[in-house]
Amino acid sequence: MSNPNPKPEELVQIGYQPPSKDWMDPSVEFRKGTFCYSALPKNLNYLGLPNAREWQPFDEDWKLPPDWKQIILDGMKERLEKYRSFRLFMDICVRCGACADKCHFYLGSGDPKNMPVLRAELMRSIYRRYFTPAGRLLGPLAATPLAGGRELTEDVVKEWFYYFYQCTECRRCSVFCPYGIDTAEITMIGRELLNLIGCNINWVLEPAANCFRTGNHLGIQPHGFKDSLDFAVDELEELTGIRVDASINRKGAEVLFIVPSADYFGTPHYYTFLGYLALLHEIGLDYTFSAFASEGGNFGLFNSHEMIKRLNAKVYAEARRLGVKWILGGECGHMWRVLHQYMDTMNGPADFLEAPVSPVTGTRFENARSTKMVHICEFTADLIHEGKLRLDPARNNRWTVTFHDSCNPARAMGLLEEPRYILRSVCQRFHEMPENTIREQTFCCGSGSGLGTDENFEMRMRGGLPRANAVRYVKEKYGVNLLACICAIDKATLPPLLEYWVPGVEVAGIHELVGNALVMRGEKPRSTDLRGEPLVELEAAHA
């Protein structure tokens, strides 16, 4: 067996030559380091999902239900009828190849089945065999290279599992598709169909189960959530001399503030959380947290549409229970894709809330009229634009910063300019990565959609290679030593990626840098940043 943690100089030797076997051959090798472990039965049982059992992808027998094939075909039929986009995506691809070299997993692995067009073809071949007039007429004769169909076999199921969990649903390929095919939606359907027969990964279902049990992915119970907030309040007071109030479950507050759980429990996320607390105190926002909706992220996006709906419901249920006017959301990725692309049809309309209006600037956030939820970067950019914050960018002089457009806020939400406006206001040295690697064309971290676990380390490093290459470019050209981002998964997975490919570059959330630069009324003389590191003079930073 090959080394599951190869060195960078080994991993960068990527072969792009076509493989010897035909693409219609579904056999795959579950080699250590390239796949995720299966979900634990307890998590399937807790969520009420089918076929809970002990198994692993490298097992020969996956212990599928006796009628697994009919279950998948029935599920596919149901979704073809329910989602017009799914049938459209199955029919209209002309295999032009415009997306072929746009996927970070293909660029990092050289595996043709990681080309978005061919990954989707793994499902289209089943669609052609069972759901097109030619497939129904010809039957098994449609399962030929000429007809483009394949029989649904256990090997195909294993192939689906292998490749649909080598897609982070980042949607970069969709930017380049002349027909607007959203291959991420095909991946989502593929995972849904696998879910029907109990083929899931634990790194998706355990956070989902935890979210149902305790309100957040990490399984932190309400008293633990309060302890985490109390600790952050104490630490911020030590750093600034200011005691802030972070209320929980307070009815009648104007705003419900929702953050990803990593912000109050992980690193470097925690420094972003300190920045939130400092900012919201300084402007006097009347807000509260919820111990029951102590998670903005939504791992349902990586499992099924039904799971999306179930997990997102708690945000709006808590907003109603607490009687707030509108919702403010923190730096998270998939939370925002769910909210802006699915919430209104799944859990909406949120007509019991008001269209968000900043109580500080009077700005009406018309873009949030439907969801009633404002992104913290929109909110902060507005505060800066209206001159409501006193900022000292010199407090971030230890950093030369670049910005990673997190896939979901960028491509799904169009949040492109606000983060940059904030960064240019709170930092003195900011440099963009190459144009074809940012904004709508941003490269994924390589570990999203539930793939940010250690057992698939090699594939994570391969998938993150294009992003790391762009970071290396600005590091070598401008001396960049900090990659800022606005996604909890990015903050968790980019540090090991950069340590592997680009040592010497750290990761931070934007509101950590806001918190550093923010001059608070009544603060004690600041000698450190939110990490407790000494503030650096500009000349010393250049030395």
Side-chain angles (χ1 to χ4, degrees):
M1 182 177 289
S2 61
N3 180 10
N5 294 317
K7 298 184 186 308
E9 54 269 25
E10 297 173 312
L11 212 61
V12 80
Q13 303 302 318
I14 303 168
Y16 293 103
Q17 66 277 9
S20 56
K21 71 175 185 177
D22 187 272
W23 77 265
M24 299 187 81
D25 180 353
S27 58
V28 293
E29 177 190 2
F30 285 90
R31 180 169 53 82
K32 191 172 183 180
T34 63
F35 66 93
C36 297
Y37 294 155
S38 60
L40 297 176
K42 67 175 184 179
N43 293 322
L44 274 77
N45 286 328
Y46 191 86
L47 294 168
L49 299 178
N51 198 24
R53 80 279 186 208
E54 295 284 352
W55 71 286
Q56 286 298 340
F58 48 75
D59 294 338
E60 183 175 350
D61 181 6
W62 280 23
K63 303 175 184 176
L64 302 179
D67 55 345
W68 66 266
K69 183 174 180 178
Q70 194 59 48
I71 291 172
I72 289 181
L73 293 177
D74 288 346
M76 198 167 177
K77 180 177 183 293
E78 177 187 346
R79 284 154 182 80
L80 286 166
E81 294 171 351
K82 184 176 182 181
Y83 303 116
R84 181 172 177 269
S85 59
F86 179 36
R87 182 176 290 276
L88 195 66
F89 295 160
M90 289 291 98
D91 282 332
I92 67 174
C93 177
V94 295
R95 292 169 290 286
C96 68
C99 66
D101 61 346
K102 306 307 187 294
C103 177
H104 49 286
F105 278 116
Y106 171 67
L107 293 174
S109 70
D111 186 341
K113 290 187 180 180
N114 273 325
M115 294 178 179
V117 59
L118 191 45
R119 188 188 294 114
E121 201 71 10
L122 305 181
M123 181 173 290
R124 285 194 186 96
S125 60
I126 303 303
Y127 169 74
R128 291 193 198 98
R129 164 62 183 88
Y130 294 96
F131 296 99
T132 63
R136 289 192 293 268
L137 179 65
L138 297 175
L141 294 177
T144 64
L146 185 61
R150 293 191 302 171
E151 294 289 346
L152 181 57
T153 65
E154 287 194 32
D155 281 343
V156 167
V157 170
K158 294 178 180 181
E159 178 190 49
W160 280 9
F161 182 93
Y162 189 76
Y163 288 105
F164 289 142
Y165 285 103
Q166 282 182 26
C167 169
T168 50
E169 303 178 14
C170 83
R171 306 169 74 236
R172 187 173 192 262
C173 52
S174 67
V175 173
F176 297 91
C177 177
Y179 289 90
I181 295 172
D182 191 343
T183 306
E185 293 283 347
I186 298 174
T187 291
M188 291 169 65
I189 295 294
R191 291 188 182 188
E192 278 200 28
L193 297 177
L194 291 169
N195 182 63
L196 297 177
I197 57 174
C199 295
N200 343 71
I201 65 170
N202 202 60
W203 206 245
V204 168
L205 287 198
E206 184 158 326
N210 285 342
C211 216
F212 275 107
R213 190 174 69 255
T214 68
N216 58 74
H217 293 156
L218 299 176
I220 300 169
Q221 297 182 32
H223 61 279
F225 177 57
K226 184 179 186 305
D227 287 346
S228 295
L229 264 62
D230 289 345
F231 183 86
V233 168
D234 290 343
E235 184 155 5
L236 188 62
E237 184 176 20
E238 289 182 17
L239 292 167
T240 67
I242 304 292
R243 184 78 181 176
V244 306
D245 179 29
S247 67
I248 303 174
N249 297 342
R250 179 167 60 87
K251 291 188 175 182
E254 182 172 358
V255 175
L256 171 62
F257 187 30
I258 302 283
V259 300
S261 54
D263 277 359
Y264 51 85
F265 207 76
T267 302
H269 315 65
Y270 176 70
Y271 309 118
T272 298
F273 191 72
L274 294 179
Y276 296 151
L277 296 181
L279 172 70
L280 300 184
H281 172 85
E282 181 63 17
I283 63 173
L285 186 69
D286 179 19
Y287 75 98
T288 189
F289 291 97
S290 165
F292 301 99
S294 52
E295 178 67 70
N298 192 318
F299 268 59
L301 186 64
F302 317 137
N303 178 260
S304 70
H305 289 81
E306 179 60 27
M307 196 68 70
I308 292 174
K309 180 178 180 179
R310 291 167 66 184
L311 290 177
N312 192 61
K314 68 183 185 301
V315 173
Y316 288 89
E318 277 298 274
R320 185 190 293 274
R321 186 181 73 86
L322 295 174
V324 301
K325 293 181 179 178
W326 53 278
I327 309 170
L328 181 66
E331 295 183 9
C332 181
H334 41 85
M335 168 169 75
W336 288 102
R337 184 178 178 199
V338 167
L339 285 165
H340 276 258
Q341 296 191 334
Y342 297 103
M343 195 293 293
D344 219 27
T345 53
M346 288 185 170
N347 301 109
D351 50 11
F352 59 93
L353 296 172
E354 299 178 9
V357 178
S358 171
V360 183
T361 67
T363 297
R364 180 176 295 273
F365 294 94
E366 293 292 347
N367 61 305
R369 176 173 289 278
S370 171
T371 63
K372 310 299 193 295
M373 191 162 177
V374 175
H375 193 288
I376 188 72
C377 283
E378 298 173 296
F379 188 70
T380 301
D382 175 61
L383 293 170
I384 296 173
H385 183 264
E386 297 298 325
K388 300 300 183 181
L389 302 179
R390 184 181 170 196
L391 300 169
D392 180 5
R395 290 179 174 180
N396 284 311
N397 278 347
R398 66 180 290 213
W399 303 120
T400 300
V401 184
T402 192
F403 179 61
H404 164 67
D405 290 276
S406 302
C407 301
N408 286 312
R411 272 190 288 268
M413 190 182 177
L415 195 69
L416 304 173
E417 300 307 325
E418 292 89 342
R420 290 171 167 82
Y421 180 75
I422 295 171
L423 285 173
R424 290 189 174 99
S425 301
V426 301
C427 300
Q428 294 189 332
R429 297 190 307 284
F430 171 71
H431 301 280
E432 292 277 20
M433 287 181 279
E435 191 64 31
N436 65 340
T437 71
I438 60 173
R439 299 178 187 269
E440 292 93 340
Q441 298 185 41
T442 186
F443 274 114
C444 181
C445 66
S447 302
S449 79
L451 306 186
T453 179
D454 289 338
E455 62 254 27
N456 67 330
F457 179 84
E458 177 186 329
M459 195 51 63
R460 284 176 56 195
M461 296 303 104
R462 289 187 181 279
L465 175 58
R467 170 45 76 223
N469 276 341
V471 176
R472 179 183 294 276
Y473 174 83
V474 289
K475 179 191 178 188
E476 294 175 350
K477 185 169 183 177
Y478 303 113
V480 162
N481 61 1
L482 185 73
L483 180 63
C485 60
I486 53 173
C487 171
I489 286 181
D490 284 332
K491 291 172 199 167
T493 62
L494 284 171
L497 179 78
L498 297 182
E499 182 181 357
Y500 186 83
W501 290 116
V502 198
V505 180
E506 296 189 49
V507 176
I510 281 184
H511 279 78
E512 174 187 340
L513 303 178
V514 172
N516 287 341
L518 183 65
V519 180
M520 303 176 70
R521 291 184 293 272
E523 71 176 13
K524 70 180 185 180
R526 293 277 292 274
S527 58
T528 69
D529 60 18
L530 294 182
R531 299 190 180 200
E533 297 291 334
L535 298 180
V536 177
E537 295 295 330
L538 188 59
E539 293 77 11
H542 276 302

